[in-house]
Amino acid sequence: MASIMQTPQRPLPGAFLTTPARTRDPTLAPQAAASGSVLYPSLDASASQLSKVQFSDAPAATVPVSLDNLKPLQRAAVTINETLNRETRYPEIDSYVGQGISSDYDIPSSPAWAPFLKTKSYDIPEKILEQHNRAQVSTMMGLFAELNHAWIAIDNSLYLWDYTHPNPGIIGFEEQANSITAVKLAVPRRGVFTPQITHVLVVATAADIILVGLSCVQDQAGNNLVSLYQTRMHLSIRGMAVTVIEGSAATGRIFFANAVDNDIYELTYQQEEKWFQSRCGKINHTATRMSALVPALAALTPALPFASRPQEHIVQMATDDSRGLLYTLSSKSTINTFHMQSNNGLERTISLSLSEMFASVGHMVSQTELLGPTVSIRSISPIAALEAQKLHLMATTSTGCRLFLSATASAGWAWPGGQGAPTSMRLQHIKFPPPPQGLPSPQVHASPQSGAYQASFVDTQSKSLSSTRTAQRFPPGYFFCVTASENQRAVDTLFLSSPDSGRIAQARDAPPATTSQFPETGLWLNLDGHAEDMGLMSAPFVAATSPLGFGNELAIQFDKPPAEIAILTNTGVLVIRRRRPVDIFAAAIQYAGREQALEGDVRKFVRMYGRGETTATALAVACGQGEDLGPEVRIARMTGPEVLDAARKAFIEFGGNPTLNENYEVEKNRPAIDNVRPSHRHEGIALYISRLIRSIWKAPILSALLTTTGGVTFVPTVGLAKLRGIQRDLSRLQEFLKANQSSIEGLAGPESLSRGTSTQPEIALLAEHRALHSLVVLLGNVVEGISFVLVLFDERVEEIVYSLSDDSRQRVQRLSFEGLFTTDDGKELAKELVKAIVNRNIASGSNVDTVAEALRRRCGSFCSADDVVIFKAQENLKKASEMGSSSEPGRRLLNESLRLFQQVAASLSMEQLQWVILQFISMEFYAGGIQLALTVAQEKDRGNRALLWMKDGKREDDPRYEAYAQRTQIYQLIRDIINRVDQSSREFPETIDGGYTPAAKRRSEAYAIIDDSEDELFHYDLYDWYSDNGWSDRLLAVRSPFVVSYLQRRAKQSVRHADLLWRYFAQGQRYHDASAVQLRLAKGNEFHLPLDKRIEYLSKAKANASIFTPGVARQPRQVLLHEITELLDVANIQDDLLQRLRQDERIPPERKPDILSKLDEQILGLTELYNEYADQASYFDICLLIYKSADHRNTADIKATWQNLIDQIHKETLRRGEPQPWEAVAERVRSLGNRLHLSETTFPIGVLLSMLEKYAFEYQHPQQPAQASSSSLPSSQDDQDRSHDRLLASPPKAWVIDTFLDVGVSPDTLLPILESMIYNDEAPFAGRNRAWIAADVLSLCQRWYATVVARIGVGAAVGDAAAAASRFGRSSTGSAAGAGAGPGVGGSADEVKTMATGISHLLLVLLQNGLVQGPAAIEECQILRARVEALLR
């Protein structure tokens, strides 16, 4: 069923109404914490949480730190951390309460050295005494010391009162009719009651156990207001006499015991009743079913003589929540140990009788009456796991001996309290009683090794506590033992003792002694009556979160209030206060009187605590920390001038001198000053400062709380009242050091350094000055830092924190007081918070000068002069916004704010600059924003380290990279402004009615600032931004000296920027530079450019290089053009190779990608192209092109290449079947003729003409003559090819002549070659085969004549023909015969006449030798000759 929260009932009625209490001093009341769930642990939550924040469980290993290069604050932080770390190494109780016995007590004779002080005594109220006098059956009394309340049960009524109040109200519980037998205050189980029920009263009567809800809250005066509530929870226990009740604060479980048996019962309780289960029930964890009937039988037959009651029953129970154990003490002194299991079970694990406990005593001590057979155990006190690892329990005997017991697991080791439970328990240590009251303490002496005291013998026969009634132990070892007075039966005597923390602390560095080191200081007090109960009023003692360092009272004497224990007697309540060493020292010098006695007391303190502790204590007393009872029996500070002056004198005179360790092995790089051990004065100052700030040193300055509405609020982690107290004590220390500066060696200044008589004392004094100066600097920082925290929490912290950036907000929440006091990051965060405070006040209308002055007065280092200027500039911005940025006053305020911001540009943080830029943008002050950003960038990097980093290669491991990153962040703000400017320009027209609009003016102002800037790095960053956004036109439109250098630098990294560079040059008519960039792109290997892109760059470079560029001489222009042209030719050849190889089927597919990738990149050399590709692949036409580019003039190679080319084309054409072989050959010759530009070396016309004529004759003549054996073509397969050729269609007449005429070879060049072939009579054109050549001669002559006639007309003379030729040029080109154009004609009359004469003569020879075959051909020849002759006439 659903769980329903129990609603508190009405307050219980009592015999007395609540008496109004007088209001106390409100300054004593701590502030109530805000309700909510804590996200970060608060130091005020509990002492354990405080210790967790302060220290780790185990001390950190000491690592030697070089102090030479540390700043004073860092050096002081190291000192404080080492001091706090040393405090955590205070010996744990297991180390000095070991196996054995001891009786080491120091019972001071002087009250000044007493370890405890009786502070207050409160009488029992008269109304309680009146009720007591009316008692009929029984009465009992007790304390709820943690609530400052006492209680008394009178018959069936229970009354509570605040014993600390002078006129307390009485709270009564009288709603039941049975006599009360036991009362216990317990912590309830979570979730059973409402949160306001903090405790539950367990009231046992003769018939029932009743649960009464109790709430305790503090009012503003610090009074504990207690209210009782009905819970409707009770359990019937008729037939039982419950006398012992115990509760577990951790689990809320409640146990009780019967006076007639030795069983343990548990009271179960829940919110609502369930099936077969009421709201309250009981469980017997120890007895069987039959034994459960014993209480009922005993109740039924109490008067029968044969009805005997059990002899053994439980007289005390105690819980140890740290280990989950429950201890019981029986009436026969048997100790039982139970394990409280997580499933609400209870398992008995150990049962130890007194005889078993004493079985091992003989091994520790000889026979003593104090441990005889008649001895019993009066009380037990658990020792928590936080305090000790081995020791678990302390039992006090009726003779006052303390028995320290340790529990062990089955493996035999001490049980630490983890999983499972201990299985055995044994006696570990016996602490015998002190000497009788009035007798001196046993003689003690100092150890020669350590100077610590050691007891000379163990007194095992003292009977000073032989009549012990009860005893109790409080952490860290306070022992309160109540004994019956020998003289007065109605009065008890109280013996108090505590560990001697000074001697224990000194023993941590001493070698282990032969006897147990358990020194204590003690005190005897005579009570006014019988002691009824005792309890701890103050918070439980916790100095550390582990046994090591837990009991260090010295460390917390300035951090936490001293322990106070209340003792209830039948006459009243007595409050005992633990005296701190600082109180003892102050009282000792106050009561010393004479100077000799004062010196003796100081030396005694040195022997007990050591010099460092003595100087720290004397310094604390000199600063007013000592306390004692005042004239009105109240604790007051001891600030008398005699006490303060005596403490000052002790601090100075007993502080010693710094010492140089000459035996230290000096390292190579370790200065001698680091080998100096400072004086004990330095140690004392460090101890005192560390103890004042130990609770805040590692703690965060604020904690986040979840509110009930789901929001987050920030509260101080340390209470503001505590911070003010720490600051007050530190300020007194500051004043003391300043007032006594001249008397403290090391603080006196440079004049004290001259006192050194040699080098070593001088080094020692320097080291002392350095160490003390560091602490003084830290002291000032701590005082000012606390002021800053107090200022912070005077404001609305949530608004301030949330006004920071996300990163700063997270850092603030992690910021500790140590970080705030000693680190640069903490100081910067504090400055950010101060600026946020000022901004918030400015926003709320406060005057900036007033706020800034208040901040500078309270925490000046967090609010510098530059900060004040910034605040004034921000105020001007706010006023400008209110007046309107377009108004004249508004623009003046904006310009003034810009001037102020520029004045402190180096101090502006990135967050501040961003805020200012946003304000400028919102007010359209674009030029001011750009100018401020440029100024800040320059001031942040005055050495231009960022620009040098960029020019040196941009190494990320270079420390200058941080400067670059910072400047680029600032430049990003300028980009934001430019975007806003451009957007505004697009929204509004540029001109209205012939005048510029405000938007256009602002744009012009902004870009004027940009163009006029001399920040080279800014220009580079701006151009990068243009380029990244594809704004090439913007970049090309910039006219700045930085554009070219930027593009030249980026052109080495990006093709796109290289393109922009040559475009920028071409746009500026710097064509020579543009062509140089394009040439570098084409020939360079920085980028993976395809070959066609390189050819494109070369083509454009050739065009740009051909244009005249002012300022560039002719020679460099021609040199560049020549280089480009040659490289372009090579690139074209490489492209031919690439295209040819892509289509070449001979290459294996797996090799082709590698070959093509190599060719489709960088332009290769001609040698590599020829040897690796063209020659190997038999690309003969490309080989000819390579000959041309390489100026290769070997005729044999060229001729062989041409012949191989013709043969290759012929075979390839036959293989494909199309086109006709002669067509392919003719086309390739025409192509190469144009590309080779009719070169005399690579395109030899005479060789080619003869070669083509032979090819035409051999492959196309109907019957090849026998004498044609000199053909270069091979036989066999070639013969078959020829026979196949004869079956092909006949080519056009004189196709060879047409081929040469098509590429521009003139007839006057061809005719002599053909004529020589006829006259030479060489194979295959020998004999009648010359007719083949004769046919081409006749065709060539006809074309020549046709050309002449076409230009001068029929019947014209030679002179007319010459004139016409001169008009058309000396050597014009002609196309094929079918095209209607003729071959070239000589220009002069003599040349035409000579040509005509030669043709006429040649035709005659052809006719006479019968080389013209066929009647038609002969007739054509005769007609042509006649017409040529006519030209000559």
Side-chain angles (χ1 to χ4, degrees), residues 1148-1188:
E1150 62 273 9
R1151 289 193 57 202
K1152 182 174 286 190
D1154 295 337
I1155 296 174
L1156 296 180
S1157 64
K1158 188 172 182 181
L1159 282 174
D1160 196 18
E1161 251 190 43
Q1162 191 176 359
I1163 300 175
L1164 306 177
L1166 289 173
T1167 302
E1168 185 176 358
L1169 292 176
Y1170 179 82
N1171 293 329
E1172 299 293 334
Y1173 301 98
D1175 187 50
Q1176 290 189 19
S1178 299
Y1179 297 153
F1180 300 114
D1181 52 346
I1182 296 179
C1183 291
L1184 292 171
L1185 294 174
I1186 293 175
Y1187 293 159
K1188 169 66 169 57

Side-chain angles (χ1 to χ4, degrees), residues 820-898:
L820 175 66
F821 299 153
T822 63
T823 65
D824 294 336
D825 183 63
K827 183 65 68 73
E828 291 302 319
L829 281 176
K831 287 185 176 181
E832 289 188 37
L833 289 169
V834 166
K835 293 167 187 175
I837 292 173
V838 175
N839 291 336
R840 179 181 174 276
N841 281 275
I842 292 176
S844 62
S846 302
N847 183 271
V848 64
D849 291 329
T850 303
V851 176
E853 181 59 30
L855 287 170
R856 292 194 66 184
R857 185 177 62 255
R858 297 182 65 179
C859 45
S861 63
F862 300 105
C863 184
S864 62
D866 285 353
D867 294 332
V868 175
V869 175
I870 293 173
F871 300 151
K872 290 181 179 178
Q874 291 173 342
E875 187 178 31
N876 286 334
L877 268 181
K878 184 174 182 295
K879 291 180 179 178
S881 175
E882 294 171 352
M883 291 185 178
S885 59
S886 300
S887 64
E888 187 63 27
R891 301 304 287 185
R892 283 200 302 268
L893 288 171
L894 284 175
N895 285 312
E896 177 63 17
S897 69
L898 172 61

Side-chain angles (χ1 to χ4, degrees), residues 369-575:
E369 296 180 2
L370 300 181
L371 299 176
T374 60
V375 174
S376 62
I377 295 179
R378 295 298 190 189
S379 65
I380 56 175
S381 297
I383 301 175
L386 190 65
E387 187 176 357
Q389 291 183 349
K390 297 179 181 179
L391 298 178
H392 285 57
L393 190 69
M394 186 196 80
T396 306
T397 67
S398 57
T399 57
C401 293
R402 280 174 280 170
L403 311 178
F404 290 88
L405 306 172
S406 65
T408 58
S410 57
W413 296 94
W415 184 68
Q419 298 296 327
T423 57
S424 64
M425 181 176 286
R426 65 187 180 90
L427 182 61
Q428 182 80 8
H429 187 90
I430 302 174
K431 181 74 173 184
F432 285 94
Q437 188 174 2
L439 296 181
S441 302
Q443 185 66 33
V444 295
H445 64 277
S447 169
Q449 291 87 355
S450 63
Y453 283 103
Q454 292 181 344
S456 56
F457 69 96
V458 177
D459 183 4
T460 62
Q461 306 299 328
S462 174
K463 297 182 180 180
S464 59
L465 302 178
S466 59
S467 56
T468 297
R469 293 181 54 242
T470 185
Q472 195 165 346
R473 179 187 183 275
F474 302 98
Y478 306 144
F479 178 58
F480 281 54
C481 183
V482 178
T483 63
S485 177
E486 296 180 357
N487 301 326
Q488 302 179 13
R489 294 183 178 181
V491 177
D492 289 337
T493 301
L494 178 65
F495 175 73
L496 309 90
S497 68
S498 67
D500 193 338
S501 55
R503 293 165 60 185
I504 294 174
Q506 289 194 89
R508 67 183 155 195
D509 300 323
T514 54
T515 58
S516 176
Q517 294 293 308
F518 187 10
E520 288 185 303
T521 58
L523 177 69
W524 292 93
L525 283 179
N526 294 321
L527 301 179
D528 296 335
H530 280 298
E532 301 289 343
D533 196 5
M534 64 183 73
L536 184 65
M537 296 175 57
S538 56
F541 181 93
V542 177
T545 58
S546 66
L548 189 66
F550 176 87
N552 194 352
E553 293 183 274
L554 300 170
I556 65 169
Q557 58 180 324
F558 310 121
D559 181 46
K560 296 181 180 180
E564 289 187 338
I565 294 93
I567 300 174
L568 175 66
T569 68
N570 56 355
T571 61
V573 178
L574 177 66
V575 177

Side-chain angles (χ1 to χ4, degrees), residues 253-273:
R253 300 175 69 178
I254 299 174
F255 304 97
F256 61 91
N258 192 5
V260 296
D261 57 32
N262 204 27
D263 293 335
I264 293 181
Y265 299 86
E266 180 176 358
L267 174 65
T268 61
Y269 56 100
Q270 57 190 8
Q271 267 190 6
E272 300 292 340
E273 294 183 358

Side-chain angles (χ1 to χ4, degrees), residues 62-91:
T62 302
V63 179
V65 180
S66 177
L67 304 179
D68 188 40
N69 297 324
L70 295 181
K71 297 179 181 178
L73 277 178
Q74 296 171 334
R75 187 178 295 109
V78 170
T79 302
I80 296 299
N81 283 316
E82 288 179 348
T83 303
L84 292 174
N85 186 40
R86 186 172 181 270
E87 298 269 61
T88 64
R89 297 197 298 271
Y90 182 89

